Amino acid sequence: MKITNIKTIITAPAKLNLVIVKIETSEPGLYGLGCATFAWRSLAVQAVLDNYLKPFLTGKDPQRIEDIWQQCAASGYWRNGPELNNALSGIDMALWDIKGKLAGLPVYQLWGGKCREGALVYRHTGGSTPEEVEGQVRKYMEQGVMHLRCQIGGYGGGKSPLASPEGALPGQYFDPAAYARTTVELFAYLRKKLGPEVELLHDVHERLAPIDAVRLAKQLEPYRLFFLEDALAPEQGEWFRTLRGQCALPLAMGELFNHPLEWETLIKERLIDFIRVHVSQIGGVTPALKLARFCEQFGVRTAWHGPGDVSPVGHAANIHLDLAVPNFGIQEWGGFSPELEKVFPGCPKQKGAYVYLNGRPGWGIELNEQEAAKYPGIHEVPAWTQTRLPDGTSVRP
Ligand code: MG
């Protein structure tokens, strides 16, 4: 059996670029789908696939997944960047899809079978006032969802009392002090109003100076969060030791990670509780499965990144991992629009607190290429990443 063609498809049914890899084989009708979505650099990922990985892989045996992963990861000698890793993920996932279809089994069966029937999910809530956030939480609770991420005023929300200097450059301004203050007020309010049963989560999005993140975590500790996410930037990983020593708030980390060295110390020193990597960003399910097994040894649970800039193929792959690993924690879930479900028939389905797969071989999801073509990629400079402090200083988003 040989790989005969590799197609890269960019589609934006929900106004976010999704990058899908389709690997065709010499077996009539046998193909696989993978997610290579790096929404903000989709053309660069496509160029890696079309110009480098496609010529490298055409004619090779699609059944040799591990060998292909290892060869592709080093095929340009320099390695581990997000463009290469996402391209590699598209290949890797498509090969697992083919493997499952060949076996006539869902992919989780190839990894040891189910540890659970559905993946527990958390949903996002947000608003400009605590009352608004409470309303959204209650709406989800009525549907049976008991894990809610709560944000006030978006990432870094909270109105600043400080005016910017004259001539300040345009950008997405936020005030870390106002953000931290309003976030503590939000969780005090929510815990009082909603009682002890609902599980609350929060994403700092690395928007605080390290010591201010430590203080925020201590202030949030009494409200018993399920986890606090990205309290620190990846570059400030050493601060996790300080944070860990100061409070018993469960910590989630990793959506920006590309490389095993970024997570190794945090896991083996038990400095975090949930690994949050973006599966396509680390190179696909082959490295994600190894990471999950590594985490299992140290009592760290998985909480794969699951935002809108993961394709339904990538979400399906996340759910296969969620069902197969014993140390699954929770899955971030945003649901799919009718447009997305039409482009990707076979999407996983949420019922109450859980998401379920359809039991079909491979990932169990398809791509309707005619529908996908109705939503061409949108190639603009992203505005949301142009973040600044009140005095105009550029900071990470
Ligand atoms: Mg996040």
Side-chain angles (χ1 to χ4, degrees), residues 122 149 155 203 205 229-230 255 276 305 332:
Y122 72 88
R149 193 190 78 162
Y155 298 126
D203 187 354
H205 228 265
E229 178 185 352
D230 286 359
E255 72 183 53
R276 283 274 298 148
H305 196 218
E332 181 181 26

